[in-house]
Amino acid sequence: MIIPVLNEASILKQQIRTLSDTLPATGIEIILVDGGSDDDTFRIAGALGCRIIASARGRARQMNTGAAHARGSYLYFLHLDTSPPSDWVKILFSAIQEETHPLTFRLRFSGQEDSPLLRFYSWCSQFDVDAFRYGDQSLLVRREDFLAVGGFREDHRLMEGHDLIRRLRRRTGRLTVHPAAVTTSSRRYVEYGVVFTQAIFTLIYLLYRVGVPQRQLAAIHNWAFRR
């Protein structure tokens, strides 16, 4: 399991403990790839017994670094603010045995019970459509396939997960969207508004598909979310 992190001290302990509670005694390692945190991320990760690796900043670069250090034949990429279903280990091992990988999950949002729009976006994620494939849904991939397509594109500051999945689909001829759901944080939707946030994500996706450069996509993202 490869998780990119950057200044995540506030949520790291709870998230890693939750993951550890579902892990078998052996067979899966948690690799945190730090992009230059200046908080207590490194110290907390070490105290939790995680393997933590320093990397240049950038989510795509960090995940590639994690993949290079991973020991297994299969890689599972997860964002720290996303929690897999409780039986995720069983699901991943079944996908490996049945060769139904690359595999991603449906998406649900924390607190979506209070938002019809978030429930609608969650419902859409079950369909095998490129527009609904994002890194928040996590990804299981065979190392051989990951390397064959060149990994994550490090010139991508946004849409790196979407881009990788499209290349993996072309290589393997398939992508499994598992009916179980990962749960990702809805804090951005809460902070900036569901309609506005989704409108920005949709705009970025459409501009990306017509070839707008990454620096312009990042400028829109940073303007919208005041980063």
Side-chain angles (χ1 to χ4, degrees), residues 3-9 32-42 52-59 61-62 65:
I3 306 174
V5 294
L6 179 66
N7 293 329
E8 303 286 8
L32 302 182
V33 189
D34 185 79
S37 295
D38 54 16
D39 64 1
D40 284 339
T41 294
F42 241 88
I52 185 160
I53 299 166
S55 166
R57 184 173 302 189
R59 191 159 54 194
R61 187 175 292 109
Q62 289 171 239
T65 299

Side-chain angles (χ1 to χ4, degrees), residues 12 15 19 24 27 47 66 68 79 95 101 109 112 117 124 127 131 137 142 148 156 165-166 181 184 197 201 206:
L12 183 59
Q15 292 292 83
L19 286 172
H79 293 176
H101 49 78
F109 298 91
Q112 69 176 37
L117 279 175
C124 288
F127 299 110
Q137 293 172 264
R142 186 171 59 170
H156 275 40
I165 286 174
R166 291 179 66 200
T184 194
T197 300
F201 289 157
L206 293 173

Side-chain angles (χ1 to χ4, degrees), residues 123-142:
W123 176 78
C124 288
S125 71
Q126 69 184 293
F127 299 110
D128 189 11
V129 177
D130 279 349
F132 303 140
R133 296 285 79 80
Y134 293 95
D136 286 334
Q137 293 172 264
S138 73
L139 177 67
L140 170 72
V141 59
R142 186 171 59 170

Side-chain angles (χ1 to χ4, degrees), residues 98-119:
E98 297 167 11
E99 297 189 350
T100 54
H101 49 78
L103 177 141
T104 189
F105 288 92
R106 289 182 59 181
L107 184 67
R108 75 176 303 278
F109 298 91
S110 60
Q112 69 176 37
E113 297 78 11
D114 299 324
S115 172
L117 279 175
L118 286 182
R119 291 199 303 273

